[in-house]
Amino acid sequence: MSDDRVDQWLAFAREFLRALAVRKRKQFDRRVSIGDLLTEREDNAAAYGFGEGSTMYDNVLVLGSVKVGRNTWIGPGCILDGSGGDLQIGDWCSISAGVQIYTHHTVNRSISLGREPIDCAPTRIGDGVYIGPNSVVQMGVTIGNQAIIGTNSFVNRDIPAGAKAFGCPALVRPSQS
């Protein structure tokens, strides 16, 4: 293909993306990546068999066995890593931008120079859970129903239902009236 032809196609593609960006801005008042210009969040979630009404941005990384319930929002830049075992996320959850949820880690394999296996354990997120932006949930953790995880938290132990936890590591904090 000639350089002139490539330039023509590139100009067409840029104009098309500009038109899509204007449309998304009018519809949703947001600027999104190319992938999100070309896809719809509900369709992305449905393609992975997530529950009815759930949505996820195009740039969410989904690995292995990940099950998501109904009406759950998964923000941009998340990692849902079910490659080490089942990752289950309930109904009506908010998984904020940049959240990482894992079912495995390679610490022992790395420090043993490959003699030890990769550690794996299922991870469970209950119904109605809010996980704040840029939080990390380690393998094997269960977060109970309607728990709140604060921004930038590292969750390396179970969090009971209804609890508020935040920090590095995330600790359950008393509710303030």
Side-chain angles (χ1 to χ4, degrees):
M1 186 179 290
S2 72
D3 285 347
D4 285 342
R5 189 76 174 136
V6 169
D7 289 343
Q8 288 174 346
W9 276 103
L10 186 56
F12 172 78
R14 286 181 175 151
E15 185 57 34
F16 178 66
L17 291 173
R18 245 189 311 274
L20 287 176
V22 167
R23 187 169 143 195
K24 286 280 186 178
R25 177 109 192 236
K26 283 181 184 175
Q27 279 182 305
F28 303 110
D29 195 26
R30 65 176 167 241
R31 190 245 176 240
V32 295
S33 66
I34 289 173
D36 284 308
L37 288 175
L38 300 173
T39 64
E40 294 297 332
R41 292 182 298 158
E42 197 164 331
D43 295 339
N44 296 338
Y48 284 88
F50 295 175
E52 183 181 345
S54 289
T55 64
M56 75 173 180
Y57 282 79
D58 182 69
N59 64 357
V60 172
L61 177 60
V62 180
L63 301 168
S65 177
V66 177
K67 296 176 183 74
V68 176
R70 296 174 295 111
N71 302 302
T72 288
W73 176 78
I74 301 165
C78 290
I79 298 173
L80 305 179
D81 185 357
S83 64
D86 286 340
L87 169 55
Q88 294 183 10
I89 300 172
D91 299 336
W92 292 102
C93 294
S94 290
I95 311 299
S96 299
V99 168
Q100 301 172 41
I101 306 173
Y102 295 100
T103 59
H104 83 285
H105 70 68
T106 59
V107 175
N108 291 326
R109 181 174 154 260
S110 295
I111 64 173
S112 72
L113 303 176
R115 288 185 295 279
E116 296 293 324
I118 293 172
D119 293 304
C120 301
T123 302
R124 309 276 186 259
I125 311 298
D127 295 334
V129 171
Y130 173 84
I131 302 178
N134 300 315
S135 293
V136 176
V137 179
Q138 191 173 19
M139 69 167 209
V141 167
T142 296
I143 299 176
N145 293 341
Q146 297 176 301
I148 297 171
I149 307 300
T151 298
N152 292 319
S153 294
F154 175 59
V155 185
N156 63 350
R157 60 181 59 108
D158 291 352
I159 304 297
K164 293 179 182 175
F166 55 92
C168 185
L171 299 174
V172 173
R173 311 298 172 137
S175 293
Q176 307 240 343
S177 308

